[in-house]
Amino acid sequence: MLIALHKGRGVIGRLIRWQTRSPYSHASIVFEGGRVIESREFIGVRQLASLQPQPGERIDLYRVPLTGDQCEAIRAFLYAQLGKPYDYTSVLRFISRRKASRESGHRWFCSELVFAAFHHAGVRLLDRVEPWAVSPGLLSLSPLLVPARVK
């Protein structure tokens, strides 16, 4: 299982990268065999057959050491989220720099979904951080991420 961190070149991606002062604008999870689960604007949580970079986008892939039980817990959590809507409110918070302290378990933005899936499996990618507060750039700072490769 891999975490894919995307360096988007579109308008929304550039805004997220600028506002979060990070090279990353999107996060997704890649399963063994290549299937991907992500939350995308205008679509929500979806599953793809393979990683599909946007035009001009670069993707860094990271491994996180996991047990078989943790992998299954992440997979089950993500499948239960399929079809849920995108969390526009929280993304606007990143752009506006407004503070928030809420969870939105019925809506997800990309890095929130990734972080929550690992959290659900008992894997704390970052200490003292809640899923709703994690941008793709902050997710990249986890000491548990081990570089896999660049696409």
Side-chain angles (χ1 to χ4, degrees):
M1 183 173 303
L2 300 170
I3 293 176
L5 295 176
H6 305 242
K7 298 175 181 179
R9 305 308 256 173
V11 173
I12 293 173
R14 286 176 193 251
L15 278 172
I16 292 169
R17 288 176 37 225
W18 171 77
Q19 184 58 33
T20 62
R21 295 171 178 84
S22 163
Y24 298 112
S25 59
H26 181 63
S28 57
I29 292 184
V30 183
F31 294 108
E32 299 299 326
R35 285 175 297 129
V36 175
I37 292 186
E38 66 178 2
S39 185
R40 280 271 185 194
E41 62 276 359
F42 309 115
I43 299 168
V45 182
R46 66 179 178 173
Q47 180 176 215
L48 302 169
S50 64
L51 202 54
Q52 299 174 358
Q54 302 294 313
E57 180 179 67
R58 290 183 48 89
I59 301 172
D60 294 339
L61 299 172
Y62 296 90
R63 291 194 184 287
V64 175
L66 299 169
T67 66
D69 288 344
Q70 289 170 326
C71 285
E72 278 308 309
I74 291 168
R75 186 181 323 275
F77 177 84
L78 290 170
Y79 282 134
Q81 307 315 308
L82 288 173
K84 291 190 178 177
Y86 189 77
D87 188 359
Y88 289 100
T89 304
S90 291
V91 171
L92 290 174
R93 179 181 52 80
F94 282 123
I95 293 170
S96 69
R97 295 188 182 172
R98 284 197 128 152
K99 300 286 185 203
S101 60
R102 62 157 187 77
E103 292 190 43
S104 59
H106 63 285
R107 298 183 316 243
W108 298 102
F109 62 89
C110 62
S111 50
E112 176 187 29
L113 177 67
V114 170
F115 192 85
F118 278 82
H119 186 120
H120 176 78
V123 179
R124 292 297 297 198
L125 294 173
L126 296 164
D127 289 332
R128 299 180 303 274
V129 178
E130 295 300 320
W132 57 263
V134 178
S135 69
L138 185 57
L139 183 60
S140 75
L141 299 177
S142 170
L144 299 180
L145 271 63
V146 177
R149 65 183 185 274
V150 176
K151 270 195 136 219

